[in-house]
């Protein structure tokens, strides 16, 4: 059959793709460690690490434990949300077992059980149940992506298309099965193949029996008297029963079949079940071919990632292994969006509409950066998002794929810095606050911020400030400085004051703003309820936004690559 | 967002002196209490604990014996919150409160039945009842006009030893100022940071070494109130040993370390005593629910929790503490919208002279309460059986002019908690 | 002490006159009973009128205003912010007045152009949607403190001298001439004589009192005007209500704030005046009709000044003080019943025409002195001096941030005035033989003008002045009391909402802790 060629083609694409992507784990430059090694060394060391893990009993035990609890049991997701766990279990086990008992039945169940037939129970029931399970999983997944506002915001078309693809496989299978159930053509062909007869007289009782008990939709319907049925039952027992259970146990397809019955004549005329067969087969091939190029790839990578994660964080790994681990992490992401839901700085996305602030989105930005597929514009956006990150580590904690995201962000920040998108914490020190005031005054911010959430432009934010200096007194950053004016240029309460005096620019470049550790002690202790820490944070982001915007405009001008002017010795505080 | 719900016997709203005292008394009485408020407000406690310093205010007459003074005040001003309490109750409340500070490692010293005179950073003198042990030698040195070295620090704003010495020269001629750099610090100094750095023995030694050459014939050494944060007893002992003379602190401008020490003490001790803190949050809304319970929405900017309480004690302070709020034409109580005793209109709120000897009428505005510290309406009828109020929020007092802030806070908190406990006992828990 | 001309009063007129005479080579001494701009010069909008406000009541003044407006923009640009202005009418305002406005302006040669309502609200989003007419005019704002201090500084360059806290207590008159003026130094209590060829009474609202001392009679009326300072700048331009001049119809931006006023209340004496609560409420309610945000915004200070209006009875007394001419009065007492040949009074007028008043007075004085030199103030630019610069909002923080010298701590956190600025001001006060007190420094800088209204900066400044040996003895307490009381005057009528909370903190610290209110009871001992 020609369809098989498609299957082989899809399998070859899949295999090539998998090899390609695995190969890239050892090539992609991720983090400064990748500069000091070669793909070969990365490959060899990865092999060594795997070998070491396998022969070392404790490490092997850790891996197996991860395989059982994390991969098979999805413990992480269960802890986070039982509903999501049910969804993921339904989807993953539904699809995986379908592959096992249905797609590749010739190599699995058929070998194990000599009397195997796809239309026999328990296989038919099981297949239908698994289909239902997978379909339920798809529906819950789609609902989740639609209901949760954060997830809805981060969901890409690819995420939804993939779910629709899985749904299409299951549904096309069910429809195919239903069409086959009611199809008289199919019946006729089977009779020829297995009964070896095409005598209408001889077949009539079987027809009557199958019309009654197997819902085949003959036109015209065969006469169904008791004698014919009895004879039909006998014929059925002789020729069919060894391969066919009643379709009522096809719990998903049977109701469809009942629904199709009135249309059976038309369907038979256009030979629909053959077309459906093509469709089901080709869609499945498509999914197979797409596997390495979509997040379906996580079927392979996430278990690996979870098992590697069980060995410890990336920081504990040998430096040479870290780039490959990060690349694997990129591939293990299912884009589930949990990291963005729990990201400490995700609320800033409300104010600064840069998707790269959200970890789930930043990840693909990092992948593009590593692959060298970035424009200055996208890299700038990535840099902004990366440097807004406070490295709180919550994304890593929540990731169900076991990706060491914190390590990934640290590495990508270094890469960005190296590619000329320096960390604001670094370049902000090149100038004093008043120099920054002049620089920033020239770069009016694009009107992106929603005024409703902009604290620094709203005089009400500062009205209550009495300059009592409580915020400065409790600030740990001020406390560790031997000379706050020299080290920080200004104290938190002085920053608040500059806002009140409408000298916002003068504060944006101040080191206090950039050295703030967002411990929120100032805000918690302010007797007047001034949102001190929120203001400091907003200032930092506003400065970043203005500079990114200017940078983006300059990027098109080849003569100027940076808007951050070189440091001058004059007026530079605390050199 | 769904709020978490907490049930309790008593919610104490406010974390100033009255709120903290109330929490202490509630814990002592074994009440299941939740406390809500921004503890940073306690940083505005200046150190000395006043009981009654001036009466009558219009005459500016300073009170020698605060207990006799209170007795006279209660006769002259029967509406004053002190008048709702027996003097013995006030005395016991103060004793309990001071005992708590003692066990917390921050003892305060009184002269029993006499007020003491304390020197302030402005070079003025203030009558007060109890002072932190770190300040105890100051009043003695002043009373004896003993030769004394007064140390100021370069970079500490608003504290000039020379200002204090010259301003007091008629009362204390032997006060000699000196201005020194603070060990290991440059630029601007912040009292809290100075205090924390003196908790380290090494800094103390450097300070001793810096002061010693200037000692001369001084029998006392005065310093701004920065002598340690958690370990004031140790800091003081080391300095006195190193310098060989008694050392004392002078209260600085607000917010002061003295207040922050109290804040830390309460923050550490109260939860251990069973108070459930919802600190750094405030009450955003309140509702009376079934059985007369109070349901309070608590959070920072949006409600994070619902606290359902059998009773509420309001210690939310005045305008700075946000317990009261003044619009252009009227004063309101901010949480329960209780009736506020107040002058007829804004013309009568303040005098044209800031320092008018009468004191500003608005300072006597506030929430009026019955003998059980339950807010009353303008006719004097008790509003709710399970709502109590204490502290500076109360009407008919001028704590700033009468110098009775701490005493008022502690005594009324004690009175209100007693009434509240009686109420809770009467009404069997549901 | 001897001088050619003695000027009484260091308001903007006296300062302008001292400079004008200085430029003509005439030696002057100014005696001022308090400090610079103590009267109406310090208690006004700081508005450089286009003249349009007076087109109906006083067309001659309107024309004068217009000329001086153009001149000052050119010659003293550092004192002026050319904001432009709008005259706006609200639904219900007098339609006839609106209809005549453009025509009347044209007759006084005042440039004005009608502005489309939509455009006007785009230019000034704070304007009420009840706007029915708008005209643009040439209004600008002017810093009266800077103006006076710069005039005084230039006068000093030309030999002039200023004696602050020097109160005139009498004249020695002989043969129809003032031989000497007796002056008491209010700081030291010492009295001394000043002999001058000509004495000019530029005492503003106190001109009547001075004239009386010389035996002359001057019929004066005192009209108090109260103004409010908002927390933030409400508009880009000066906004005038397009109607017959009345209360609360001008909103003038100044740096980071706006000033709303005024009222007009007859007072008996210019000495003890307060911004009253009913005036404040009236101003806010009226102002909010024009700019609704004024109803809810926060006000940081109220202040008032007394308009010296000449001629009470002559100009038909009673009635509306606004109807009295805003033109100035130059009185040669040689030609009046008292017949004092070398005594001149200049009063009335307004800030915008201060230079013209000085010019006319100087012309008269020079005629008396026989000096032929012509006036140069209409051609010579006013030099920008350092004396006055720290009154500008935002300058201190910007300079502080730029220089960022080690140990240059901020004395006033609200307005970010550092020690170095205080030292500079102290030096300039000392140079003029003055005593650097809290109030004098406050007048010459932004100290105490922020939202803490002196709570923190007063004691910080006192401590600093003691540490730098600028204060001695037990002056400190009195300085604190005086400084805080002065601040309180402007705060007291505005105490509600956040301001009240801040005032409570002020009282908690200065009365609760420092017991400043008890300090009068000296010598109390247990």
């Amino acid at each position: 059959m020609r369809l098989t060629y498609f299957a082989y083609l899809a399998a070859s694409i899949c295999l090539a793709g998998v090899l390609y992507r695995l190969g890239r784990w050892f090539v992609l430059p991720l983090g400064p460690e990748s500069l000091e090694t070669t793909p070969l060394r990365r490959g060899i060391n990865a092999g060594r690490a795997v070998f070491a893990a396998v022969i070392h009993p404790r490490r092997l035990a850790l891996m197996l434990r991860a395989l059982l609890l994390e991969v098979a049991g999805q413990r992480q997701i269960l802890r986070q949300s039982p509903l999501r766990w049910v969804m993921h279990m339904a989807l993953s086990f539904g699809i995986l077992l379908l592959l096992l008992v249905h797609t590749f039945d010739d190599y699995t169940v058929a070998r194990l059980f000599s009397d195997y037939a796809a239309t026999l129970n328990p296989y038919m029931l099981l297949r239908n149940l698994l289909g239902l399970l997978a379909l339920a999983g798809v529906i819950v997944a789609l609902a989740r992506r639609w209901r949760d506002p954060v997830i809805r915001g981060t969901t890409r078309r690819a995420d939804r298309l993939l779910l629709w693809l899985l749904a299409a496989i299951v549904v096309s299978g069910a429809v195919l099965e239903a069409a086959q159930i009611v199809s008289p053509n199919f019946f006729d062909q089977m009779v020829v193949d297995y009964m070896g007869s095409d005598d209408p007289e001889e077949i009539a009782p079987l027809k009557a029996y199958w019309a009654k008990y197997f819902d085949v939709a003959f036109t015209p319907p065969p006469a169904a008297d008791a004698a014919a049925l009895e004879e039909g039952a006998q014929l059925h027992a002789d020729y069919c029963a060894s391969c066919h259970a009643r379709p009522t146990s096809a719990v998903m397809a049977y109701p469809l079949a009942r629904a199709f019955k009135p249309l059976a004549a038309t369907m038979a005329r256009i030979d629909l079940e053959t077309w459906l067969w093509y469709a089901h087969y080709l869609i499945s091939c498509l999914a197979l071919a797409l596997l390495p190029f979509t997040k379906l790839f996580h079927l392979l990578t996430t278990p690996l990632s979870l098992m590697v994660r069980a060995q410890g964080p990336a920081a504990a790994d040998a430096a040479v292994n870290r780039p490959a681990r990060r690349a694997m992490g990129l591939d293990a992401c299912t884009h589930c969006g949990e990291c963005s839901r729990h990201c400490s700085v995700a609320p800033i996305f409300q104010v600064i509409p840069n998707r790269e602030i959200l970890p789930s989105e930043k990840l693909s930005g990092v992948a593009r950066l590593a692959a060298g597929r970035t424009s200055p514009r996208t890299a700038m956006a990535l840099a902004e998002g990366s440097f807004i990150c406070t490295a709180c580590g919550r994304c890593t904690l929540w990731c169900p794929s076991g990706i060491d995201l914190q390590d990934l962000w640290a590495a990508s920040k270094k890469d960005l810095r190296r590619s000329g998108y320096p960390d604001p914490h670094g370049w902000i020190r090149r100038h004093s606050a008043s120099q920054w005031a002049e620089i920033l005054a020239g770069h009016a911010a694009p009107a992106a911020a929603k005024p409703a959430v902009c604290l620094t432009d709203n005089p009400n934010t500062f009205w209550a400030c009495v300059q009592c200096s409580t915020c400065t007194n409790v600030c740990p950053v001020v406390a560790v400085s031997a000379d706050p004016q020299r080290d920080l240029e200004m104290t938190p309460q002085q920053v608040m004051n500059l806002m009140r005096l409408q000298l916002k620019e003068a504060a944006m470049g101040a080191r206090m703003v950039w050295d703030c550790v967002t411990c929120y002690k100032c805000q918690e202790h302010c007797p007047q309820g001034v949102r001190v820490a929120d203001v400091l944070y907003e200032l930092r982001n506003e400065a970043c936004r203005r500079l990114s915007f200017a940078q983006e405009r300059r990027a098109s001008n080849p003569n100027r690559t940076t808007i951050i002017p070189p440091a001058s010795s004059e007026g530079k505080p605390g050199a | 967002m769904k709020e978490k719900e907490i049930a309790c016997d008593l919610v104490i709203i406010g974390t100033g002196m009255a709120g903290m005292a109330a929490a202490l008394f509630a814990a002592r009485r074994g009440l299941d209490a939740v406390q809500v408020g921004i503890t940073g407000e306690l940083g505005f406690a200046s150190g000395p604990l006043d009981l009654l310093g001036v009466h009558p205010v219009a005459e500016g007459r300073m009170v020698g014996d605060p207990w006799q003074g209170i007795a006279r005040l209660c006769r002259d001003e029967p509406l004053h919150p002190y008048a709702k309490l027996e003097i013995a109750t006030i005395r016991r409340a103060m004793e309990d409160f001071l005992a708590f500070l003692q066990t917390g490692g921050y003892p305060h010293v009184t002269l029993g039945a006499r007020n003491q005179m304390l020197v302030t950073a402005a070079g003025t003198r203030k009558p007060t009842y109890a002072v932190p042990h770190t300040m105890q030698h100051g009043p003695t040195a002043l009373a004896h006009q003993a030769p004394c070295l007064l140390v100021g620090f370069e970079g500490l704003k608003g504290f000039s030893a020379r200002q204090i010495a010259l301003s007091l020269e008629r009362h204390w001629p032997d006060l000699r100022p000196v201005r020194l750099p603070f060990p290991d610090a440059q630029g601007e100094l912040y009292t809290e940071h100075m205090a924390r750095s003196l908790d380290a023995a090494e800094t103390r030694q450097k300070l001793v070494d810096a002061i010693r050459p200037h000692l001369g014939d001084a029998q006392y050494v005065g310093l701004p109130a920065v002598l340690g944060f958690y370990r004031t007893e140790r800091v003081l002992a080391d300095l006195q040993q190193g310098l060989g003379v008694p050392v004392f602190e002078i209260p600085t401008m607000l917010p002061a370390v003295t207040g922050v020490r109290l804040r830390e003490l309460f923050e550490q001790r109260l939860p251990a005593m069973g108070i459930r803190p919802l600190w750094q949050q405030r009450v955003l809304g309140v509702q009376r629910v079934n059985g007369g319970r109070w349901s309070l929405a608590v959070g920072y900017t949006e409600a994070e929790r619902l606290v359902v309480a059998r009773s509420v004690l309001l210690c939310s302070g005045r305008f700075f503490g946000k317990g009261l709020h003044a619009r252009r034409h009227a004063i309101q109580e901010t949480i329960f919208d209780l009736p506020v005793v107040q002058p007829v209109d804004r013309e009568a709120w303040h005098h044209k002279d800031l320092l008018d000897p009468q004191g500003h009428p608005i300072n006597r505005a506030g929430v009026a309460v019955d003998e059980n510290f339950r807010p009353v309406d303008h006719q004097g009828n008790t509003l709710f059986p399970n709502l109590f109020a204490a502290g500076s929020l109360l009407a008919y007092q001028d704590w700033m002019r009468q110098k009775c802030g701490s005493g008022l806070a502690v005594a009324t908190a004690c009175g209100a908690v007693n009434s509240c406990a009686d109420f809770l006992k009467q009404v069997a828990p549901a | 002490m001897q001088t050619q001309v003695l000027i009484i009063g260091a308001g903007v007129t006296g300062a302008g006159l001292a400079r004008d005479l200085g430029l003509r080579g005439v030696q002057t001494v100014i005696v001022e009973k308090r400090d610079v701009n103590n009267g109406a010069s310090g208690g006004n909008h700081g508005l450089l009128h286009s003249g349009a406000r007076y087109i109906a009541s006083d067309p001659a003044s309107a024309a004068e205003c217009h000329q001086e407006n153009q001149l000052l923009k050119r010659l003293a640009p550092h004192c002026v912010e050319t904001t432009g202005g709008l005259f706006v009418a609200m639904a219900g305002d007098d339609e006839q007045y609106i209809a005549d406005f453009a025509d009347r302006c044209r007759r006084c040669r005042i440039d004005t152009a009608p502005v489309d309502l939509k455009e006007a609200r785009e230019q000034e989003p704070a304007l009420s949607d009840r706007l029915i007419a708008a005209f643009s005019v040439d209004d600008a704002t002017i810093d009266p403190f800077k103006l006076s201090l710069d005039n005084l500084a230039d006068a000093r360059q030309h030999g002039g001298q200023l004696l602050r806290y020097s109160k005139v207590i009498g004249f020695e008159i002989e043969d129809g001439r003032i031989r000497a003026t007796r002056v008491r130094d209010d700081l030291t209590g010492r009295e001394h004589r000043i002999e001058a060829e000509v004495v000019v009474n530029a005492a503003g609202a106190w001109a009547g009192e001075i004239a009386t001392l010389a035996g002359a009679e001057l019929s004066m009326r005192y009209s108090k005007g109260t103004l409010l300072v908002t927390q933030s700048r409400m508009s880009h331009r000066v906004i005038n209500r397009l109607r017959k001049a009345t209360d609360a119809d001008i909103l003038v931006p100044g740096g980071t704030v706006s000033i709303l006023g005024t009222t007009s209340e007859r007072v008996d004496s210019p000495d003890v005046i307060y911004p009253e609560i009913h005036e404040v409420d009236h101003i806010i309610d009226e102002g909010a009709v024009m700019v609704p945000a004024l109803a809810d915004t926060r006000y940081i200070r109220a202040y008032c000044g007394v308009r010296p209006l000449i001629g009470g009875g002559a100009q038909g007394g009673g009635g509306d003080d606004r109807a009295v001419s805003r033109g100035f009065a130059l009185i040669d007492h040689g030609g009046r019943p008292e017949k004092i040949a070398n005594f001149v009074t200049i009063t009335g007028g307004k800030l915008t025409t201060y230079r013209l008043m000085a010019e006319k007075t100087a012309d008269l004085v020079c005629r008396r002195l026989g000096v032929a030199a012509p006036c140069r103030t209409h051609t010579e630019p006013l030099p920008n001096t350092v004396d006055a610069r720290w009154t500008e909002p935002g300058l201190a923080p910007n300079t502080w941030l730029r220089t960022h010298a080690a140990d240059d701590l901020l004395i006033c956190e609200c307005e970010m005035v550092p020690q170095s600025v205080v030292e500079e001001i102290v030096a300039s006060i000392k140079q003029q033989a003055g005593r650097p007190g809290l109030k004098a420094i406050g007048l010459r800088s932004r100290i105490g003008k922020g939202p803490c209204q002196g709570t923190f900066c007063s004691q910080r400044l006192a401590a600093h002045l003691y540490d730098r040996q600028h204060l001695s003895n037990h002056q400190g307490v009195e300085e604190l009391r005086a400084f805080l009381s002065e601040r309180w005057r402007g705060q007291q009528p505005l105490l509600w909402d956040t301001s009240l909370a801040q005032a409570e903190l002020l009282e908690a610290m200065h009365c609760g802790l420092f017991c400043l209110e008890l300090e009068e009871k000296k010598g109390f001992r247990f």
Side-chain angles (χ1 to χ4, degrees), chain A residues 92-105 108 130 288 291 299:
Chain A
S92 58
F93 280 92
I95 297 286
L96 279 175
L97 292 175
L98 270 179
L99 284 175
L100 211 63
V101 301
H102 168 62
T103 316
F104 300 109
D105 52 359
T108 55
L130 288 173
L288 182 65
L291 184 131
L299 277 176

Side-chain angles (χ1 to χ4, degrees), chain A residues 485-532:
Chain A
Q485 193 180 329
R486 181 196 63 202
D487 299 340
L488 303 168
E489 298 181 278
M490 54 188 79
T491 58
Q493 123 251 9
Q494 285 165 356
V495 175
M496 295 310 108
N497 209 35
L498 283 170
M499 298 292 105
R500 189 184 53 75
L501 293 170
Q502 297 162 36
L503 296 169
K504 185 169 165 178
E505 275 101 0
M508 278 199 271
R511 294 182 181 185
M512 181 66 241
V513 172
W514 292 86
D515 286 358
C516 167
V517 294
T518 53
C519 71
Y520 276 79
K521 271 184 92 170
C522 48
Q523 188 155 325
E524 286 188 341
H525 285 99
C526 177
Q528 292 297 294
V530 178
R531 293 169 64 180
V532 187

Side-chain angles (χ1 to χ4, degrees), chain A residues 15-27 297 300-301 304 327-328 331:
Chain A
L15 189 67
V18 167
L19 287 175
Y20 167 75
R21 293 204 62 169
L22 290 179
R24 300 203 23 105
W25 291 3
F26 309 105
V27 179
F297 194 41
L300 305 176
T301 49
L304 269 179
M328 181 176 71
D331 284 348

Side-chain angles (χ1 to χ4, degrees), chain B residues 341-356:
Chain B
V341 176
Q342 55 186 297
V344 277
D345 59 19
R346 200 166 94 245
E347 298 268 3
W349 285 4
H350 294 93
H351 293 294
K352 286 201 156 56
D353 177 8
L354 167 66
L355 302 169
D356 193 294

